[in-house]
Amino acid sequence: MSLLRKIRDTGRVAEPAPPRPRAAPPPAARDLGGSAQVRCVDAGSCNGCEIEIAAAFGPVYDAERYGARMVASPRHADVALVTGPVTRNMAEPLRRTVAAMPEPRVVVAVGDCAVNCGEFAGGYGVEGAVGDVVPVDVEVRGCPPRPEEIVAALRTVTGR
């Protein structure tokens, strides 16, 4: 019984939500209505950004409380989180994935490699940055970016 008493006496413990993002949402995000379905696309990364995205959607940072939810299909997605430099083999699949997303759609480049190819710039198998292959609406810099920055970018998209 002492555990239940302790839970009752302690009450609910949670950190306050960070302040709302000040950046204006991209034009395509204004029609999303405060929630976004997110599809992650690895275009050739080292998986550092994927670990941080998993942390952003985990119980500590909980991006879902701000209206961002992961989906498995690009046909259900409003937002594409793209990581890594786009390799030659992933350029066409990335174009097709973004084309399969319904309008309005938002593309978020996550990590330095997605923004400017990072350490992989000039590699023989690299097509270019994400912005060279598909139009990018939001950029998240860092190698890898912290989960707070990924959540902040998603909050900019959802407006929450």
Side-chain angles (χ1 to χ4, degrees):
M1 269 312 192
S2 64
L3 178 62
L4 292 175
R5 186 175 300 118
K6 182 173 177 113
I7 292 170
R8 185 190 70 212
D9 294 342
T10 303
R12 187 174 178 163
V13 179
E15 296 178 12
R20 286 182 175 254
R22 295 183 185 195
R30 293 190 183 115
D31 297 333
L32 296 180
S35 68
Q37 312 305 312
V38 179
R39 171 74 172 129
C40 290
V41 179
D42 179 353
S45 75
C46 66
N47 282 343
C49 294
E50 280 76 11
I51 292 170
E52 301 301 320
I53 289 171
F57 280 91
V60 175
Y61 298 101
D62 196 15
E64 226 172 281
R65 67 178 160 167
Y66 301 114
R69 190 173 71 98
M70 295 285 260
V71 294
S73 172
R75 299 204 184 272
H76 300 151
D78 304 312
V79 177
L81 286 181
V82 186
T83 61
V86 182
T87 61
R88 293 180 193 271
N89 290 338
M90 277 301 294
E92 189 57 30
L94 177 60
R95 286 187 196 100
R96 289 181 183 179
T97 299
V98 172
M101 295 169 56
E103 293 283 345
R105 59 179 163 243
V106 177
V107 177
V108 180
V110 179
D112 286 343
C113 295
V115 173
N116 59 16
C117 294
E119 296 292 320
F120 302 102
Y124 70 92
V126 175
E127 182 82 15
V130 175
D132 298 337
V133 179
V134 294
V136 172
D137 300 302
V138 180
E139 294 179 347
V140 182
R141 295 189 178 269
C143 184
R146 295 188 343 253
E148 302 96 21
E149 295 166 356
I150 297 169
V151 172
L154 291 172
R155 289 186 73 192
T156 300
V157 171
T158 61
R160 293 172 67 181

